[in-house]
Amino acid sequence: MYAVIESCGKQYKVAEGDVVFFEKLDTEEGKKVTFDKVVLVSEEGKIKVGNPYVKGVKVEGKVVAHGKAKKIIVFKMKAKKNYRRKQGHRQPYTKVEITTIKTTARKTAEKAEEKVEA
């Protein structure tokens, strides 16, 4: 089972147990984060595509860490004009571990199991 989610202006293909690096999210380490903008879900060979998002599907994850990526060099130059600018950049990121992909079919199955146990 996998899903394609939209976050930070990009789309990510995620599955349960994956560790994904998103652009900086405003969530503390160890907290749970929910992604509601699910573009596509594939479960048991059946694919559901949203218009623009799939209704009733959520992807949950846990924030593992925050950090900065490797430094890149931004170098601007104009030939024959003696114009040169060198600048470094480190993009901040949030490391998220995907815990569950909740679909409507899974929710009904979980509720049925809870009723049987009680």
Side-chain angles (χ1 to χ4, degrees):
M1 174 183 226
Y2 68 90
V4 176
I5 62 173
E6 186 178 307
S7 177
C8 308
K10 298 178 184 175
Q11 293 181 353
Y12 299 90
K13 180 182 173 185
V14 297
E16 291 183 5
D18 284 356
V19 176
V20 185
F21 292 89
F22 292 98
E23 287 187 18
K24 180 90 169 157
L25 300 174
D26 293 330
T27 310
E28 296 176 18
E29 289 184 22
K31 298 280 183 171
K32 191 167 77 168
V33 63
T34 304
F35 301 100
D36 296 333
K37 296 181 178 180
V38 180
V39 179
L40 179 140
V41 174
S42 171
E43 66 175 327
E44 300 171 6
K46 297 177 184 175
I47 295 177
K48 293 181 186 175
V49 180
N51 186 15
Y53 305 115
V54 181
K55 294 181 181 175
V57 179
K58 293 182 180 180
V59 176
E60 293 182 348
K62 185 178 117 182
V63 175
V64 178
H66 295 287
K68 288 185 175 181
K70 289 181 73 174
K71 183 178 275 192
I72 62 166
I73 304 299
V74 181
F75 188 76
K76 297 178 182 180
M77 181 186 129
K78 293 188 180 177
K80 303 176 198 160
K81 302 297 180 195
N82 198 22
Y83 174 81
R84 292 177 183 84
R85 299 290 180 264
K86 183 177 177 182
Q87 183 180 9
H89 176 74
R90 292 182 69 188
Q91 183 68 30
Y93 67 82
T94 301
K95 186 176 178 182
V96 176
E97 181 182 357
I98 305 300
T99 54
T100 57
I101 299 173
K102 291 189 174 182
T103 61
T104 52
R106 252 194 184 181
K107 288 179 186 175
T108 55
E110 288 175 2
K111 287 181 182 178
E113 289 177 9
E114 289 177 4
K115 288 181 181 178
V116 172
E117 291 176 2

